[in-house]
Amino acid sequence: MEKTAVFKNKLLPYLLLVPQLAITFVFFYWPALQAVWQSFLREDAFGLSSDFIGLENYQALFAQPEYYKAMGVTVVFSSLVAALSLTIALLFATQADKNLKAAPVFKMLMIWPYAVAPAVAGVLWLFMFHPTLGTLARPLRLLGFDWNPLLNGNHAMTLVVMAAVWKQISYNFLFFLAGLQSIPRSVLEAGAIDGAGPLRRFWTITFPLLSPTTFFLLVVNVVYVFFDTFGIIDAVTGGGPAGTTTTMVYKVYADGRLGGDLGSSAAQSVVLMVIVIALTAIQFRYVERKVQY
Amino acid sequence: MVEHRRWNDIVAYAILIFGVFIVAFPVYIAFIASTHDAATVVNGNMPLSPGGHAMENYYRAVFVGASRYSREPVGQMLLNSFITAAGIAIGKIFISILSAYAVVYFRFPFRKTAFWIIFVTLMLPVEVRIYPTYKVIADLHMLDTYAGLILPLIASATGTLLFRQFFMTIPDELLEASRIDGAGPFRFFKDTLLPLSVTTIAALFVIQFIYGWNQYLWPLLVTTQDSMQTIVTGIKKMLTTTDELAEWQLAMATAILAMVPPVAVVVFMQRLFVRGLVETEK
């Protein structure tokens, strides 16, 4: 839909666009292009000179066992966080959507973790499950469970997943609740008249009608796990122990910062960009078409 | 709901109370830890009720700083976080309301191109171009400055899209009417568009403020002096002291302080926040 009534100035629209375009070019396009360009270069140890080496950084990257490990970690981490936070949020949202007097209060009590920084969420969970001083680690040990996320990779993964899920429930809850409330009551009533019980109605009516929201959230959650959880991983495990919680984004940071390998770091950035663009494209192709708001 | 049975409500309440418990418990534990002394927290046997050291811990965290090695007091970090978050929110609103105005209310060559140039930035968060962006900031001598903390994070299209969507819903008659009154583009913007956009501006402010406050990776890279670090990056540094025990009770006090401003914003501005969030994500 386009406006029919518009202004006719020649220069003014460009002036209005200048601030945003300037910032976008300097801080978005220029660095993004630099990342692509740098991924084809090899810099010497002092950063004084660089050679064009074509795809060598990429070849080296894909020859690295650690890179496949980081990919695996990312896949496991993203699927666990997305699946758990979506399921739990949907459970809470369906309850809050019932005709309860206190529903608005619960809504407010559920959504505020959205405002907690991922890194802070990570620190909270690390404190609760810290092997020596954690309030919840003690009962685990009393039960004879040798809990130590600082040494055991599976424990570390469990901990970052819990923190990331905790942080993401509120966001998913909000969108599921909005989705549930947009389902017409008459459809559910028709189902009830036909004799379908609450569970049957959920699976045959509510869940299919909610699928656009679910798919949208799935994509958003995967992108969240990719990027926003950086703070959680850095605060809780620092990618360890032994790379068991090093996701692809964490590896870009670790290789560039600690390893000083900017070529490889840039190549990894480019691979990530391709993945994110693909995810966004999927979202637009399928979600925009199906969702009728 | 369709049928209204008592047990149904009881189950719903039970599940929701359990949900609120899960959501609140970690914060409760952090709060408890922030009220005990170091010895009680470190021995791993902390009680689940508040202790008597709250004043002392919060005072030390805010005004003195955690340990010998990370002495920067939280007061300064709070100020840095506040300036960064407000700067990101205001900066983004400023650039995006202008560009959305241009794209919606003017016809000019390359209008579509300009829109797409801005739109593409939605796809890539700062994390994927982190080192090149760092280099740009370093070359512009913006390390350890508020501008360096703020500018790269406002280079995205969320605000532009939100304002564009909103402007599209404003009836054309309003522009016609103010034209008849002899208003030019400036007066139409100031007297008609801006007052109508107040709720959208407020919603965007809430979301961007929280986004800015909670940034982690970017402030971590772009600030080298402790006096410029934000509170979210500061907490982690309190826990990574090398040769002495981390002061968890102060770190937890800091975590609580880091949570209060954004959570307060969400709780008090809930309606605006929800509206803005649901609209930007679409």
Side-chain angles (χ1 to χ4, degrees):
Chain A
M1 203 183 69
E2 300 271 302
K3 291 271 178 198
T4 47
V6 292
F7 290 110
K8 295 221 161 48
N9 298 50
K10 290 217 168 2
L11 188 61
L12 186 60
Y14 295 104
L15 289 177
L16 292 169
L17 281 166
V18 161
Q20 174 138 30
L21 288 180
I23 287 178
T24 306
F25 276 111
V26 176
F27 298 107
F28 183 90
Y29 283 98
W30 178 239
L33 287 175
Q34 285 281 310
V36 175
W37 174 234
Q38 219 165 40
S39 71
F40 299 117
L41 299 180
R42 182 195 295 131
E43 286 191 33
D44 68 28
F46 304 101
L48 297 174
S49 68
S50 47
D51 308 317
F52 185 85
I53 54 167
L55 292 174
E56 271 182 43
N57 282 325
Y58 291 93
Q59 283 164 354
L61 187 62
F62 286 107
Q64 236 187 71
E66 291 86 9
Y67 197 57
Y68 293 100
K69 189 172 175 189
M71 278 182 178
V73 168
T74 310
V75 170
V76 171
F77 183 56
S78 333
S79 352
L80 281 175
V81 174
L84 285 171
S85 66
L86 285 170
T87 316
I88 297 171
L90 182 58
L91 172 69
F92 294 148
T94 49
Q95 305 311 309
D97 185 45
K98 287 178 180 169
N99 211 350
L100 305 176
K101 275 200 202 75
V105 179
F106 280 109
K107 188 176 163 191
M108 197 163 81
L109 291 174
M110 291 292 297
I111 63 172
W112 59 266
Y114 172 84
V116 176
V120 173
V123 170
L124 297 184
W125 283 79
L126 176 60
F127 179 67
M128 284 197 297
F129 285 99
H130 191 280
T132 56
L133 47 91
T135 306
L136 296 182
R138 237 175 85 85
L140 281 178
R141 237 194 329 277
L142 289 177
L143 292 171
F145 190 71
D146 188 21
W147 168 261
N148 195 339
L150 305 183
L151 295 176
N152 182 314
N154 289 334
H155 297 176
M157 178 59 98
T158 311
L159 189 53
V160 287
V161 166
M162 285 194 295
V165 169
W166 180 80
K167 172 82 186 79
Q168 191 63 2
I169 288 175
S170 55
Y171 182 92
N172 294 343
F173 172 82
L174 205 62
F175 278 86
F176 272 136
L177 193 57
L180 286 168
Q181 285 173 346
S182 70
I183 295 175
R185 289 289 178 251
S186 55
V187 180
L188 293 168
E189 276 158 19
I193 292 166
D194 288 347
L199 265 183
R200 176 96 192 275
R201 286 203 302 274
F202 178 79
W203 286 115
T204 55
I205 303 170
T206 311
F207 195 70
L209 284 174
L210 212 53
S211 61
T213 310
T214 312
F215 190 75
F216 161 79
L217 283 176
L218 194 64
V219 176
V220 172
N221 275 268
V222 171
V223 175
Y224 156 80
V225 186
F226 263 60
F227 300 105
D228 286 359
T229 53
F230 177 90
I232 296 179
I233 291 175
D234 192 48
V236 178
T237 65
T244 43
T245 55
T246 298
T247 58
M248 292 164 80
V249 172
Y250 198 81
K251 200 166 151 53
V252 172
Y253 166 76
D255 286 2
R257 172 111 196 205
L258 312 170
D261 189 351
L262 286 181
S264 172
S265 177
Q268 294 180 39
S269 296
V270 173
V271 174
L272 271 177
M273 285 189 212
V274 172
I275 294 175
V276 183
I277 290 173
L279 281 173
T280 318
I282 290 173
Q283 184 189 342
F284 274 94
R285 204 175 144 77
Y286 292 100
V287 181
E288 288 288 291
R289 205 189 294 154
K290 281 183 190 160
V291 187
Q292 302 287 334
Y293 289 107
Chain B
M1 205 15 107
V2 186
E3 60 268 87
H4 214 87
R5 293 193 196 129
R6 185 184 286 271
W7 64 265
N8 196 10
D9 281 8
I10 293 173
V11 170
Y13 275 119
I15 293 175
L16 285 173
I17 289 169
F18 177 66
V20 171
F21 173 77
I22 293 181
V23 157
F25 190 68
V27 178
Y28 178 73
I29 292 290
F31 171 72
I32 294 300
S34 75
T35 63
H36 286 286
D37 61 0
T40 316
V41 173
V42 168
N43 80 10
N45 212 353
M46 190 183 79
L48 285 177
S49 55
H53 295 264
M55 291 295 284
E56 174 198 330
N57 287 341
Y58 282 90
Y59 178 82
R60 262 191 69 202
V62 174
F63 297 105
V64 185
S67 70
R68 246 183 300 145
Y69 299 99
S70 56
R71 263 208 107 77
E72 201 54 46
V74 173
Q76 179 66 37
M77 296 184 207
L78 279 170
L79 182 69
N80 293 340
S81 285
F82 189 81
I83 295 174
T84 307
I88 288 170
I90 293 168
K92 204 158 190 168
I93 289 167
F94 177 76
I95 62 168
S96 51
I97 199 168
L98 294 185
S99 57
Y101 186 46
V103 173
V104 174
Y105 280 98
F106 293 85
R107 289 289 165 277
F108 53 94
F110 304 112
R111 190 175 67 99
K112 282 257 155 63
T113 320
F115 180 71
W116 278 100
I117 288 173
I118 295 169
F119 186 75
V120 166
T121 59
L122 273 189
M123 294 185 184
L124 297 178
V126 73
E127 280 83 356
V128 297
R129 53 200 152 85
I130 197 84
Y131 289 108
T133 311
Y134 174 82
K135 194 160 178 300
V136 169
I137 292 290
D139 291 346
L140 294 172
H141 303 290
M142 282 192 199
L143 294 178
D144 289 315
T145 65
Y146 291 118
L149 276 165
I150 292 167
L151 289 175
L153 295 173
I154 64 179
S156 105
T158 43
T160 315
L161 280 185
L162 186 64
F163 282 121
R164 180 176 169 272
Q165 263 173 336
F166 174 68
F167 290 167
M168 294 301 230
T169 67
I170 294 175
D172 286 355
E173 288 76 16
L174 277 177
L175 177 57
E176 308 283 7
S178 53
R179 271 239 192 88
I180 292 167
D181 291 345
F186 284 108
R187 253 194 47 207
F188 175 69
F189 183 77
K190 188 166 80 63
D191 292 347
T192 311
L193 212 51
L194 217 49
L196 286 173
S197 311
V198 169
T199 357
T200 310
I201 291 175
L204 191 59
F205 184 89
V206 171
I207 290 173
Q208 292 300 323
F209 184 87
I210 294 166
Y211 165 81
W213 186 278
N214 290 345
Q215 283 300 313
Y216 182 77
L217 176 55
W218 181 245
L220 194 66
L221 279 181
V222 88
T223 60
T224 56
Q225 299 165 11
D226 283 346
S227 63
M228 279 303 290
Q229 77 194 357
T230 61
I231 187 162
V232 173
T233 53
I235 296 174
K236 161 83 194 302
K237 288 190 184 154
M238 287 184 186
L239 298 179
T240 44
T241 49
T242 42
D243 54 345
E244 65 181 331
L245 278 174
E247 298 200 72
W248 280 89
Q249 80 285 10
L250 297 191
M252 289 300 121
T254 310
I256 297 288
L257 290 172
M259 270 183 268
V260 169
V263 170
V265 166
V266 163
V267 171
F268 290 116
M269 314 272 277
Q270 197 204 155
R271 213 173 44 85
L272 284 172
F273 154 74
V274 172
R275 212 194 100 176
L277 190 66
V278 174
E279 280 175 8
T280 36
E281 295 296 350
K282 281 177 201 165

